[in-house]
Amino acid sequence: MNLFDLTGKTAIVTGSTKGIGEAIAHRLAEHGAQVVVSSRKADACEKVAGDINAKYGKGKTVAAPIPCNINHKEQLQQLVDQSRKTFGGIDILVCNAALNPYYGPMSGMPDEAFDKIMGANVRSNHWLCQMVLPEMVERKDGSVIIVSSIGGLRGSPVLGAYCISKAADMQLARNLAVEYGQHGIRANCIAPGLIRTDFARALWENPETLKRSTAGAALRRIGEPDEIAGAAVFLASKAGAFTTGQTFVIDGGALA
């Protein structure tokens, strides 16, 4: 048996039209999973799903575009319902979508920005997990993967609330692991360091800024989205069958 084989499994990946989420969706499909591609924009979802089907479909539909704004509970429920209608049961849930509308010290943060960050990065993950977990309980199997950040493991003078939300995601995974482990369900976090995504563009677009941003990392370089995707495949597959409640730091040695 191939430990990384995901044939017959269905995965929802939020925020999967670019960056880390898109890389995860591609790699899950490569290893045999049916993948629901989701973000706010329908055209972006259709493009990524089309790319995945062209690359891995072999004449079959292995990726479906289902737009969703994670800030709205009813849209999350529609995402889950439509995913079930399209592919059947949901075996893998990857909560990747997140936002950060404020950059600066917490003393200057508007209440609205704080609420948006916590709502999108924590509460929406809680909502989505609770929508999917009951069917995993019935099957006695399932994997929940939350994409957090190394920001959740250290303070920041300019990303304080974002870091708090990412620390909360780590605790969410731990709590889900404890509550649902008895049902054969695993829950884990991936905590990337600096990755070449649009989300982190301000930290790498300028060569001098990039040099400063990576100077403290053991590998002395920025990571690529695809270098995060392998961890998701591991956690979704039989290879990660005894792994739960953990946070996997993938940061090029920045915290080391």
Side-chain angles (χ1 to χ4, degrees):
M1 181 183 65
N2 183 336
L3 283 174
F4 300 95
D5 184 14
L6 296 173
T7 302
K9 303 290 186 180
T10 295
I12 292 177
V13 186
T14 65
S16 50
T17 55
K18 56 186 178 181
I20 292 170
E22 182 180 5
I24 289 174
H26 269 267
R27 291 301 187 178
L28 292 178
E30 181 186 23
H31 286 77
Q34 300 173 128
V35 179
V36 173
V37 176
S38 186
S39 71
R40 288 180 299 170
K41 297 180 179 179
D43 57 345
C45 293
E46 290 166 5
K47 180 185 183 304
V48 173
D51 291 344
I52 292 173
N53 283 320
K55 193 169 185 179
Y56 306 114
K58 298 178 182 177
K60 298 189 302 180
T61 298
V62 297
I66 304 180
C68 173
N69 184 328
I70 62 168
N71 293 291
H72 300 287
K73 195 172 187 178
E74 66 276 9
Q75 290 194 34
L76 289 171
Q77 189 63 61
Q78 289 169 9
L79 169 62
V80 172
D81 293 344
Q82 191 62 40
S83 297
R84 289 176 179 142
K85 184 177 179 181
T86 303
F87 287 133
I90 299 159
D91 305 282
I92 303 156
L93 174 61
V94 182
C95 298
N96 170 69
L99 57 77
N100 182 57
Y102 177 81
Y103 186 86
M106 290 184 67
S107 59
M109 174 178 290
D111 290 346
E112 181 183 2
F114 186 88
D115 290 344
K116 279 186 176 181
I117 291 168
M118 300 307 291
N121 299 2
V122 185
R123 185 181 60 195
S124 68
N125 290 343
H126 163 69
W127 280 342
L128 190 51
C129 288
Q130 296 310 317
M131 293 171 185
V132 172
L133 282 163
E135 68 174 84
M136 293 182 173
V137 170
E138 287 184 15
R139 287 195 307 271
K140 300 293 183 184
D141 184 51
S143 177
V144 175
I145 303 165
I146 302 173
V147 179
S148 179
S149 165
I150 62 168
L153 295 168
R154 61 187 185 185
S156 167
V158 290
L159 296 171
Y162 176 78
C163 292
I164 291 169
S165 74
K166 291 304 181 176
D169 280 335
M170 296 175 191
Q171 182 59 31
L172 176 58
R174 282 190 289 266
N175 235 74
L176 293 176
V178 170
E179 289 191 33
Y180 291 91
Q182 61 186 311
H183 302 293
I185 297 164
R186 298 172 292 109
N188 295 281
C189 265
I190 298 172
L194 179 59
I195 306 297
R196 197 186 306 274
T197 64
D198 286 344
F199 193 83
R201 183 175 292 276
L203 297 175
W204 59 262
E205 193 167 37
N206 181 287
E208 286 302 313
T209 303
L210 176 59
K211 186 176 180 180
R212 288 195 302 270
S213 299
T214 57
L219 293 183
R220 301 291 197 277
R221 68 173 178 84
I222 193 171
E224 302 297 334
D226 198 46
E227 294 178 302
I228 304 300
V233 173
F234 166 76
L235 292 171
S237 67
K238 288 290 184 184
F242 198 54
T243 303
T244 194
Q246 303 304 309
T247 295
F248 284 73
V249 174
I250 306 175
D251 68 350
L255 292 187

